[in-house]
Amino acid sequence: MDLAFFRLDGDRLVPLDLARSMWRDDQMHGLAVSGALARAIEQQAAALGREDLVPSRYTVDLFRSASMDPCELTTTVVRQGPRLCLIDATLLQDGQPVARASAVLLRRSEDPSGTVWSPDDVPEPPSTEIAPDTDDPHIPFFHSEAGWSQDFSKHQNASRKQTWQTAIPIVLGEKPTGFVAAASIADATSLVTNWGTEGVQYINSDITLSMSRPPAGIKVGLVATDHHACDGIAVGSATVYDREGAFGVATVTALANSRRTVDLSDGMTYQREPRA
């Protein structure tokens, strides 16, 4: 299996098998879509020569199901100033937009002298004995009341969840940057907030990642901090961290999709929606 979500075909990105969703065989998952959009935004920022800026807020709208067909990406510079830059990106298939992203990039400066509250609950990644400190792609680690493991079936429960992941390359032969790694893994906020006793029964409609700094590398963790659900709409948030500490927050809004549940009780499987 090629260890990437896409391969290049000219200016197009062609999905590889790792981009396939657990919801449907002919559908891409959000990690691949978000990673592709983040890569396009980062390339546009580089073309502007704005090495003085860092991505600080990144939002993805997943308004159509992305298929396993080739993708085209377009970008627009919405606003550029001395201390910030706004860039939009769109992912198209067969000429139709299926997802879009917007990013705010800010210029670094110095922190003010005052003291501001921050939480004492510092997330802890798995030990290096459990998750070796390497950039080699691996099956995600999850933590719940069952402890850290890569056995998904142990974490189908109602306890607070956490994940530790090394980013999969977005494009074959390209190592992802820290921003692209975090933008891709942010889609897993749904797994730490919407995964319960009956599996994952909500599907993301959007993802927002806010960061005070890029991660130190491509290994990123998420720990659930909040979850609310009512009338088939769920909102979940997670603290984003690396081995140097917490650096951001990820949120997802999701719609109930219980007729096509991602059931992980015996591994990585899914239940298709019954045909009419």
Side-chain angles (χ1 to χ4, degrees), residues 63-64 72 90-99:
F63 50 86
R64 283 196 177 99
E72 296 178 354
T90 303
L91 187 146
L92 302 100
Q93 293 183 314
D94 295 326
Q96 296 295 316
V98 299

Side-chain angles (χ1 to χ4, degrees), residues 170-220:
I170 305 304
V171 173
L172 194 62
E174 293 182 9
K175 182 178 178 178
T177 64
F179 164 56
V180 171
S184 175
I185 292 170
D187 180 70
T189 303
S190 185
L191 280 174
V192 298
T193 60
N194 289 321
W195 185 8
T197 58
E198 301 297 321
V200 183
Q201 296 176 296
Y202 294 90
I203 187 166
N204 286 354
S205 63
D206 63 58
I207 310 159
T208 296
L209 170 67
S210 298
M211 302 186 295
S212 61
R213 62 168 173 84
I218 62 172
K219 293 178 286 295
V220 176

